[in-house]
Amino acid sequence: MASLNVGNLGEYLREQRRQAQLSLRQLADAAGVSNPYLSQIERGLRKPSADILQQLAKALRISAETLYVQAGILDERDRDEVETRAVILSDPSINERQKQVLLQIYDAFRKENALEADEAPGEDAPGGSGSAGSAGDDAAMPPTN
């Protein structure tokens, strides 16, 4: 199964290289890897380390996390979180303190949504915490004047 991931990675890398209009040699030079090694990666014969993937991503100007997912290093569902953090941290228009505050808010929202997702199976029950239950509760309350 690992070779399947490596093959998918190689195909993906080749496609990204072609879209960037780079030859194999140009990408190898830009990433600091040998031409034969890059060729073996593209053909699915080698599984590169995370460091090599990061160098390739930088040379291709794509997200390293995307390559990590293709290589099976990073789970697809974790990619969004990692990429969101990377975008926040790389934004030059906000300072370091603001970046940390944004990351704290992001973490808080993720935790809140995870808790709601854990409680979600009980929503099908009558009187659950869905919005329909709230509307019913409001209808049962006497009007206030």
Side-chain angles (χ1 to χ4, degrees), residues 49-61:
S49 69
D51 289 338
I52 297 295
L53 289 173
Q54 188 170 23
Q55 290 170 234
L56 289 167
K58 186 175 180 182
L60 288 167
R61 296 183 179 157

Side-chain angles (χ1 to χ4, degrees), residues 53-74:
L53 289 173
Q54 188 170 23
Q55 290 170 234
L56 289 167
K58 186 175 180 182
L60 288 167
R61 296 183 179 157
I62 62 173
S63 162
E65 289 78 15
T66 301
L67 292 183
Y68 296 161
V69 169
Q70 290 293 324
I73 295 173
L74 184 66

Side-chain angles (χ1 to χ4, degrees), residues 60-88:
L60 288 167
R61 296 183 179 157
I62 62 173
S63 162
E65 289 78 15
T66 301
L67 292 183
Y68 296 161
V69 169
Q70 290 293 324
I73 295 173
L74 184 66
D75 194 331
E76 178 74 33
R77 62 183 174 225
D78 296 334
R79 184 180 75 176
D80 291 337
E81 177 186 356
V82 172
E83 287 182 345
T84 300
R85 289 177 179 285
V87 168
I88 291 170

Side-chain angles (χ1 to χ4, degrees), residues 12 14 30 40 46 64 80 87 99 106 114 128 143:
Y12 183 78
R14 183 180 299 114
Q40 289 174 350
R46 293 279 193 148
D80 291 337
V87 168
K99 291 174 185 180
Y106 177 67

Side-chain angles (χ1 to χ4, degrees), residues 73-145:
I73 295 173
L74 184 66
D75 194 331
E76 178 74 33
R77 62 183 174 225
D78 296 334
R79 184 180 75 176
D80 291 337
E81 177 186 356
V82 172
E83 287 182 345
T84 300
R85 289 177 179 285
V87 168
I88 291 170
L89 291 171
S90 67
D91 189 334
S93 67
I94 59 177
N95 65 40
E96 290 305 312
R97 184 188 61 79
Q98 292 167 332
K99 291 174 185 180
Q100 293 307 313
V101 170
L102 273 176
L103 288 173
Q104 289 172 354
I105 293 168
Y106 177 67
D107 286 339
F109 283 149
R110 287 182 53 83
K111 286 177 186 172
E112 179 181 326
N113 290 345
L115 288 173
E116 288 177 5
D118 288 344
E119 296 170 358
E123 284 186 355
D124 293 332
S129 61
S131 59
S134 299
D137 293 343
D138 291 342
M141 293 179 62
T144 56
N145 288 348

